Amino acid sequence: MKNFVVKTIANAAAMAVAIWLLKGITLSGENTARKVLTLVAVAFLFGVVNFVVKPVVKLLSFPLFILTLGLITLVINALMLLLTSWFAGQLDLAFHVGGFWTALIGGLIISIVAWAMHVILPDEQD
């Protein structure tokens, strides 16, 4: 359970950085508290998408993974971010990703920041 909370916090921080850096990724709300709650909800949703959908997509794209020497992972991360944006829209969460190229850059930013947050935050395996 602690590991799940740490991953959600790391995803929320990474998404906040991507929202701050890219104009094509938006998060809106009436006030700061509402934005923070939306950000945490979207981070949770992003974690669920990465846990459920991403392994299936990686398995199906394994030949492309070998062919591109792993660069297809950037595209898969972008697709997971776009899928999260779509699910957020279905759940009336005020989070939107503007397009594929924005999602590609956003996925790269989220990956780097989430990795850094996982290094900083404590883990269950301490």
Side-chain angles (χ1 to χ4, degrees), residues 39-126:
L39 183 63
V40 171
V42 170
F44 171 76
L45 184 61
F46 186 65
V48 170
V49 166
N50 278 327
F51 181 74
V52 175
V53 179
K54 193 172 184 177
V56 174
V57 173
K58 281 182 125 176
L59 180 67
L60 294 175
S61 65
F62 185 70
L64 288 174
F65 185 81
I66 293 171
L67 185 66
T68 64
L69 302 174
L71 290 177
I72 192 71
T73 303
L74 295 173
V75 174
I76 292 172
N77 288 343
L79 294 175
M80 295 304 107
L81 191 57
L82 285 170
L83 185 61
T84 301
S85 175
W86 181 80
F87 278 132
Q90 298 300 311
L91 297 172
D92 289 329
L93 295 172
F95 175 76
H96 181 70
V97 177
F100 175 77
W101 294 109
T102 302
L104 187 72
I105 297 167
L108 183 62
I109 292 169
I110 289 170
S111 296
I112 292 168
V113 174
W115 170 79
M117 292 297 295
H118 288 295
V119 169
I120 295 169
L121 293 173
D123 200 359
E124 217 172 64
Q125 300 162 346
D126 287 334

